[in-house]
Amino acid sequence: MVLIKQALAQEKGLNDWLLQRVSAVFLSVYLLPILVFWVVHADLLTQSSWQAFLLHPVMKVLGGFAAISLFIHATIGIWVVGTDYIKPEVLQRNILAVFYLIIFASSISLLLILWRY
């Protein structure tokens, strides 16, 4: 039974590691068209040109995936940091709960702002 629990814990750790790496790669790739747009149109950038670019349906869908990726990446990251550096378990749970609420609220806000327009 102990071996099964250890195997499941290792599998979860591997899944978390993989999810965080995939989300980091997606976020990096998502930034590429934004940086290219910025470099190519640097002399003509206006708020309306940014809006037209970022509110294009393709960028809205990619932005939604980016918000989800950021949520996954931040949640796993704060869990790793919290469990590694905060030792009193009650304090650890409370601090992680606060950060999870902040991450969740930020992600929902980002999605609502993105899809509002």
Side-chain angles (χ1 to χ4, degrees):
M1 190 63 154
V2 172
L3 292 175
I4 293 173
K5 286 183 181 180
Q6 288 176 344
L8 290 175
Q10 287 176 347
E11 185 177 318
K12 184 189 178 312
L14 179 62
N15 288 340
D16 287 348
W17 180 86
L18 188 59
L19 274 172
Q20 193 167 41
R21 294 325 179 261
V22 169
S23 65
V25 169
F26 179 81
L27 289 168
S28 299
V29 170
Y30 172 70
L31 283 176
L32 286 177
I34 294 172
L35 291 173
V36 168
F37 181 81
W38 178 54
V39 169
V40 170
H41 299 94
D43 54 340
L44 303 172
L45 280 179
T46 63
Q47 182 178 355
S48 60
S49 65
W50 272 115
Q51 277 184 326
F53 175 68
L54 293 173
L55 296 178
H56 187 276
V58 172
M59 288 306 292
K60 283 178 81 169
V61 169
L62 290 176
F65 285 131
I68 293 166
S69 293
L70 187 60
F71 173 78
I72 292 168
H73 192 84
T75 302
I76 294 169
I78 198 62
W79 178 82
V80 169
V81 170
T83 56
D84 282 352
Y85 294 106
I86 304 170
K87 293 305 174 191
E89 197 170 319
V90 173
L91 184 61
Q92 181 185 89
R93 269 188 267 137
N94 289 332
I95 289 174
L96 287 176
V98 169
F99 276 106
Y100 289 152
L101 285 172
I102 292 169
I103 293 167
F104 180 75
S106 300
S107 297
I108 295 299
S109 298
L110 179 59
L111 288 171
L112 289 175
I113 290 168
L114 181 67
W115 288 98
R116 181 178 171 192
Y117 296 100

